[in-house]
Amino acid sequence: MGEEAKVVELPESPEKRRRKLLIIIAACIVVLSLAAVLILSFSPVLAAKKIEVTGTKLVNAGKLAESLEPLKGTPLPRISESKVQELMGNQPAIDQIVVKAQMPDTLVVEVIEAVPVAILVEGDKQYLVADTGKKAANLGQERQDEAAQSQSQ
């Protein structure tokens, strides 16, 4: 072979080109998904600005909402039921809670209370007793009057 010989590159196979394109597209999807998750999890765009507590009769909803004030400003995807339960404290009248996010800025805490089945009288104090046997709530004078009226009906 002389010096006039040339090396000619063969074109890339269509299968190889397709595979490269699929790898690039998959990498872009992964990067964009990761960016979206990070933005939604740590940005104040979806931060809780309003907190609503629903489903309460035995427990004061205002006090529960007040105890959840530290969650304001926290992005909604980062608020867990365990964190809400921790902030609400040990409330014997509460059976369970359901935490829901209403976009864009509202946290709704639905309280499922224990079912009162009896009234326990200890001295001059009266308590509502739940079906689990725990004292669910202390009956103040106002609640004692309501309980007496409902029993007489």
Side-chain angles (χ1 to χ4, degrees):
M1 282 210 196
E3 292 180 23
E4 296 174 11
K6 292 184 180 179
V7 176
V8 179
E9 286 188 39
L10 295 174
E12 196 174 21
S13 73
E15 185 178 309
K16 222 176 188 181
R17 193 176 314 153
R18 218 174 299 132
R19 193 176 306 144
K20 271 187 187 178
L21 185 62
L22 284 175
I23 289 172
I24 290 171
I25 290 172
C28 288
I29 289 173
V30 167
V31 168
L32 290 174
S33 299
L34 184 62
V37 167
L38 290 175
I39 287 171
L40 293 177
S41 295
F42 296 104
S43 119
V45 173
L46 295 177
K49 294 181 181 119
K50 298 178 209 161
I51 298 175
E52 295 177 8
V53 178
T54 62
T56 59
K57 289 183 183 175
L58 301 175
V59 182
N60 186 339
K63 286 183 182 179
L64 289 180
E66 197 175 293
S67 69
L68 298 174
E69 286 293 315
L71 294 177
K72 284 192 176 177
T74 304
L76 290 172
R78 293 183 53 209
I79 298 175
S80 66
E81 282 191 16
S82 62
K83 181 67 175 173
V84 172
Q85 186 75 44
E86 178 184 315
L87 287 172
M88 288 172 53
N90 186 13
Q91 301 276 344
I94 297 176
D95 246 359
Q96 63 184 154
I97 59 167
V98 178
V99 178
K100 300 175 189 173
Q102 283 185 347
M103 297 303 169
D105 63 358
T106 304
L107 177 71
V108 178
V109 178
E110 184 181 336
V111 176
I112 300 170
E113 294 182 333
V115 178
V117 293
I119 297 176
L120 173 67
V121 178
E122 287 183 344
D124 60 345
K125 292 187 179 183
Q126 294 183 350
Y127 301 96
L128 284 177
V129 179
D131 55 357
T132 59
K134 294 181 187 176
K135 294 177 186 174
N138 184 359
L139 288 177
Q141 187 60 41
E142 189 177 294
R143 281 197 175 157
Q144 287 177 13
D145 295 339
E146 288 175 17
Q149 285 177 352
S150 66
Q151 284 181 344
S152 65
Q153 293 175 352

